[in-house]
Amino acid sequence: QVQLVESGGGLVQAGGSLRLSCAASGLTFSNYAMGWFRQAPGKERVLVAAISWHGSSTFYPDSVKGRFTISRDNAKNTVYLQMNSLKPADTAVYYCAASPISARLIDTSMYRYWGQGTQVTVSS
């Protein structure tokens, strides 16, 4: 049984920072690429960061590039998302997800396991 549990969300002022964590269990963590997605009310879920099996490759869309950093600690079965310079447009539920592929991080259809999400709200 695979579980992904996000934590670290909350309310922050514009320009502030948050660090999200996702703890994984029930899978060989290092054999999965990990991604962070977000979904705002009435909008599609989108990929905001992804990282390969051992962290050698990362992906960020232009909307967060330079502000968000994804990292992983395979010894702790945990992936992190450091979010700096937050904007109100970053307000969403953030989900972590696991994919068995590592070479194509943006192939979102390959993400197999999903967490329940954590709310991030950025006030202006």
Side-chain angles (χ1 to χ4, degrees):
Q1 66 283 27
V2 174
Q3 286 195 85
L4 304 176
V5 181
E6 302 95 336
S7 62
L11 175 65
V12 65
Q13 292 182 321
S17 298
L18 284 174
R19 180 174 176 261
L20 306 183
S21 299
C22 174
S25 61
L27 79 172
T28 303
F29 185 70
S30 62
N31 288 348
Y32 287 82
M34 299 297 297
W36 285 97
F37 295 76
R38 70 185 183 191
Q39 187 168 26
K43 297 184 178 180
E44 294 287 322
R45 182 163 49 189
V46 298
L47 180 68
V48 296
I51 189 166
S52 59
W53 291 340
H54 297 289
S56 60
S57 298
T58 57
F59 165 80
Y60 308 94
D62 289 343
S63 59
V64 308
K65 193 173 298 182
R67 300 188 298 118
F68 289 12
T69 302
I70 188 170
S71 61
R72 66 190 297 162
D73 186 340
N74 286 351
K76 297 184 181 296
N77 285 6
T78 302
V79 63
Y80 305 94
L81 185 66
Q82 179 68 46
M83 304 185 293
N84 299 326
S85 302
L86 284 163
K87 307 173 181 179
D90 296 319
T91 295
V93 177
Y94 284 70
Y95 302 87
C96 69
S99 169
I101 65 167
S102 193
R104 300 181 64 192
L105 298 177
I106 64 172
D107 189 350
T108 59
S109 67
M110 298 303 296
Y111 286 87
R112 181 173 297 174
Y113 303 111
W114 295 82
Q116 294 296 307
T118 185
Q119 177 71 48
V120 171
T121 302
V122 184
S123 62
S124 59

